[in-house]
Amino acid sequence: MPEDSGAVHGAPCWVSLMTHDPATAQEFYTKALGWTFRPGFRREEQGYHLALAEGGLPVAGMGMTARTTGFSASWTTYFRVDSANDMANRIRDHGGTVAVGPMAFGTGRVAWAADRQDARFGVWEGAPVPGWRMQRRHGAPARLQLHTGDAFGAAMFYGAVFSWDSHAPDRLGVRFEADHVVVSVDGHHAADLWGGAVDKAPDPTIRPQWHVYFCVDDVDAVAERAASAGGSVVREPHASYFGRVADLRDPEGALFHITSEND
């Protein structure tokens, strides 16, 4: 995938963890995924750090949220947009909500929102983080998945908000499969929207949420390291549609997933 894949309007461009305890989170992800960290953006955003995989590859962000806000620690998926202000209006116009922003942050502007089924996501206006992309490399984000009760409705919402079918049709593609929707950038798999067969009624038992999968060289070994480092294994390593995966939580309960780089 090209280095500038995150620059495509409507494409996933970043993932970031909001945590109440950055020091503990950094220690955990260093042990579990081998990340290192450095301060990100401007001096006034001192609580924000970039996570780096081997070789200094930027893979994720980490910011601090106060416990008094009531927000739990969680991973967020961000989409690149040309204008955060315009996008906030489009989100509202199509039945979503904007929780925070748009506001200046680092080198650009950001807003945090939720779709019609309350799955949270972010939008980013500005230059993408150099070198960031989804790839099969240890410690890097490999895949993004939206679990939702209505994959078809979600596809209609995101498609309308981000103009998936018209903004950059030569670079960003969307296709419907039997039980999910696939989003690709430059022909490479970028994200999936899962919610059961698209021609069936929505499933109200599914809690809508964007999930981040990180690539690792050994799913079983990393799951063990995560548990030893203070995290927990929500679902043991197992075979899936995409290969071997495991579902984990960090010490504060933020859910994330790992998948084998060899699958």
Side-chain angles (χ1 to χ4, degrees):
M1 188 180 295
E3 292 289 328
D4 65 346
S5 59
V8 180
H9 173 90
C13 68
W14 191 237
V15 295
S16 189
L17 173 70
M18 295 303 294
T19 176
H20 302 126
D21 186 352
T24 296
Q26 289 183 27
E27 182 179 4
F28 168 79
Y29 287 99
T30 294
K31 292 178 179 178
L33 297 178
W35 289 348
T36 57
F37 293 87
R38 67 171 175 83
F41 301 130
R42 302 178 302 197
R43 181 171 298 177
E44 54 264 41
E45 277 96 35
Q46 292 183 18
Y48 196 83
H49 287 76
L50 298 183
L52 310 174
E54 184 177 354
L57 176 75
V59 292
M62 183 177 293
M64 183 172 66
T65 180
R67 295 183 185 276
T68 54
T69 63
F71 292 113
S72 59
S74 61
W75 281 97
T76 300
T77 294
Y78 292 81
F79 296 84
R80 168 72 170 81
V81 298
D82 294 337
S83 169
N85 287 351
D86 290 347
M87 193 53 51
N89 291 330
R90 291 180 64 85
I91 290 169
R92 297 187 187 101
D93 289 345
H94 290 283
T97 57
V98 177
V100 180
M103 58 185 286
F105 187 83
T107 58
R109 290 176 61 77
V110 67
W112 288 271
D115 64 23
R116 289 193 297 240
Q117 298 175 68
D118 204 33
R120 299 174 184 177
F121 64 97
V123 296
W124 171 257
E125 172 195 339
V129 176
W132 187 91
R133 64 191 188 279
M134 283 173 285
Q135 58 181 300
R136 291 285 181 174
R137 176 174 172 178
H138 183 86
R143 188 171 66 256
L144 303 170
Q145 284 189 2
L146 172 65
H147 292 186
T148 178
D150 183 2
F152 179 77
M156 296 299 291
F157 169 82
Y158 290 98
V161 166
F162 295 125
S163 302
W164 275 348
D165 62 343
S166 61
H167 194 85
D170 58 328
R171 299 196 62 189
L172 197 152
V174 180
R175 70 177 186 273
F176 289 81
E177 295 191 355
D179 54 358
H180 64 289
V181 179
V182 177
V183 180
S184 61
V185 180
D186 296 321
H188 294 265
H189 197 148
D192 304 276
L193 286 64
W194 287 81
V198 297
D199 59 348
K200 292 184 178 180
D203 184 349
T205 66
I206 296 177
R207 178 191 173 192
Q209 183 177 355
W210 279 97
H211 296 257
V212 183
Y213 286 73
F214 293 102
C215 191
V216 297
D217 51 11
D218 187 327
V219 170
D220 296 75
V222 171
E224 290 183 6
R225 287 206 301 269
S228 298
S232 59
V233 180
V234 178
R235 189 176 181 188
E236 296 288 344
H238 60 280
S240 76
Y241 182 91
F242 295 99
R244 195 160 183 77
V245 300
D247 307 337
L248 310 175
R249 290 190 186 277
D250 68 18
E252 284 195 282
L255 179 68
F256 67 103
H257 311 268
I258 54 176
T259 183
S260 174
E261 65 183 14
N262 298 317
D263 293 328

